[in-house]
């Protein structure tokens, strides 16, 4: 993902798309791109237009509705997301099958595969819709692993759900959670969260780095190769 404080900074064309293999439309390769989210099989971009609101574009794999534009087909060129103003969006986060849009007002929208309730809401999967069960929380960040998810709230709390056989949720057990639950194992507020396929890394307000989940290749950085069901 690329963030720019100055909208006039540019992204090299070879960095747009997947390993430079996707075609890049002239308009979206200009120096007007504010943010670019490079994901496994689909991409999200925001573009600043002179004298107008920013725009949100998506492209790539959309066979599960993860692009959030209403259809479920491959998008081989950028498509504008009309029902969300890019100026409303704080951040876009995605894995291969789901996409989450965090709005500045604290609302969280989701789209994509919902076979096991991953979107945390009912309704059409192929269009961004609000997650009402989180209306009492102000979500400021999302981390999406392989079928597990973390929501970081403004107060530093972490809500987690999804697969947990390797301790991906960091809640002290290996039980799958169908709905987001506050992680009681984390004793101080978090300010940043990130996921790999099966592990999680978090940064606390005091600067401590916490890791948990899968560790078969030493991802947790503890010198071991065994998973951890709690933050270490």
């Amino acid at each position: 993902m690329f963030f720019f404080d100055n909208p006039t900074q540019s992204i090299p064309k070879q960095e747009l798309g997947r390993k430079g293999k996707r075609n890049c439309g002239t308009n979206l390769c200009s120096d007007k791109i504010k943010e670019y989210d490079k994901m496994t099989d689909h991409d999200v971009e925001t573009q600043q237009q002179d004298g107008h609101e920013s725009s949100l574009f998506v492209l790539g794999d959309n066979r599960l509705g993860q692009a959030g534009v209403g259809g479920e087909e491959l998008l081989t060129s950028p498509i504008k997301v009309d029902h969300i103003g890019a100026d409303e969006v704080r951040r876009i986060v995605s894995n291969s099958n789901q996409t989450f849009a965090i709005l500045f007002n604290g609302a969280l929208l989701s789209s994509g595969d919902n076979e096991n309730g991953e979107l945390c809401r009912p309704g059409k999967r192929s269009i961004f819709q609000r997650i009402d069960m989180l209306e009492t929380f102000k979500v400021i960040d999302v981390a999406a692993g392989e079928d597990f998810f973390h929501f970081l709230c403004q107060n530093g709390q972490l809500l987690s759900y999804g697969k947990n056989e390797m301790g991906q949720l960091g809640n002290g057990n290996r039980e799958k959670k169908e709905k987001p639950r506050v992680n009681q194992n984390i004793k101080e507020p978090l300010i940043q969260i990130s996921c790999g396929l099966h592990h999680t890394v978090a940064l606390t307000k005091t600067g401590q780095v916490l890791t948990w989940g899968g560790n078969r290749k030493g991802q947790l950085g503890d010198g071991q190769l065994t998973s951890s069901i709690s933050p270490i």
Side-chain angles (χ1 to χ4, degrees):
M1 179 175 292
F2 298 84
F3 290 98
F4 296 102
D5 292 329
N6 182 351
T8 62
Q9 289 181 281
S10 62
I11 299 173
K13 292 184 181 181
Q14 63 269 25
E15 294 186 13
L16 284 169
R18 195 177 184 185
K19 297 182 181 179
K21 294 181 180 179
R22 280 203 184 114
N23 291 331
C24 183
T26 302
N27 291 337
L28 293 183
C29 285
S30 71
D31 59 0
K32 301 302 183 181
I33 292 176
K34 295 170 60 182
E35 179 178 331
Y36 169 70
D37 191 358
K38 182 178 179 182
M39 293 161 284
T40 304
D41 291 306
H42 59 291
D43 302 322
V44 181
E45 300 158 348
T46 60
Q47 182 184 32
Q48 180 68 51
Q49 299 173 352
D50 293 334
H52 301 282
E53 292 182 350
S54 297
S55 300
L56 180 66
F57 294 86
V58 294
L59 68 158
D61 192 1
N62 186 40
R63 289 170 291 182
L64 297 172
Q66 56 266 62
V69 292
E72 297 188 10
E73 64 283 329
L74 287 172
L75 304 176
T76 58
S77 60
I79 299 295
K80 183 179 178 181
V81 180
D82 290 324
H83 58 284
I84 304 177
D87 288 336
E88 302 175 50
V89 179
R90 181 187 185 116
R91 191 175 180 193
I92 295 281
V93 178
S94 178
N95 59 14
S96 295
N97 298 330
Q98 292 87 22
T99 302
F100 296 88
I102 308 167
L103 306 188
F104 281 107
N105 64 9
L108 182 63
L109 314 180
S110 61
S111 68
D113 185 23
N114 201 27
E115 182 177 357
N116 296 303
E118 294 93 338
L119 300 185
C120 295
R121 62 166 179 81
K124 189 174 181 178
R125 70 178 185 177
S126 62
I127 192 166
F128 284 113
Q129 294 185 21
R130 182 178 179 130
I131 302 175
D132 289 331
M133 70 169 62
L134 297 176
E135 62 183 5
T136 59
F137 298 91
K138 186 168 184 179
V139 176
I140 61 172
D141 202 358
V142 175
E146 185 175 62
D147 297 322
F148 73 99
F149 309 87
H150 298 296
F151 300 148
L152 179 61
C153 302
Q154 190 176 48
N155 63 3
Q157 285 186 317
L158 188 67
L159 307 175
S160 306
Y161 69 103
K163 287 187 176 180
N164 197 28
E165 68 276 8
M166 297 183 190
Q168 298 98 307
L169 303 186
N171 57 5
N173 59 60
R174 299 181 187 274
E175 298 176 3
K176 179 180 178 180
K177 300 298 180 185
E178 300 291 342
K179 297 180 180 180
R181 293 289 183 267
V182 175
N183 189 320
Q184 303 292 347
N185 268 353
I186 300 175
K187 305 304 181 183
E188 60 178 296
L190 300 180
I191 60 172
Q192 193 170 349
I193 189 76
S194 184
C195 287
L197 285 178
H198 305 115
H199 75 288
T200 302
V201 180
L203 180 65
T204 70
K205 190 175 181 179
T206 60
Q208 183 181 4
V209 176
L210 305 176
T211 60
W212 63 86
N215 197 28
R216 293 176 180 174
K217 297 183 180 180
Q219 300 99 306
L220 303 187
D222 62 347
Q224 306 297 319
L225 294 175
T226 55
S227 62
S228 176
I229 60 176
S230 297
I232 56 175

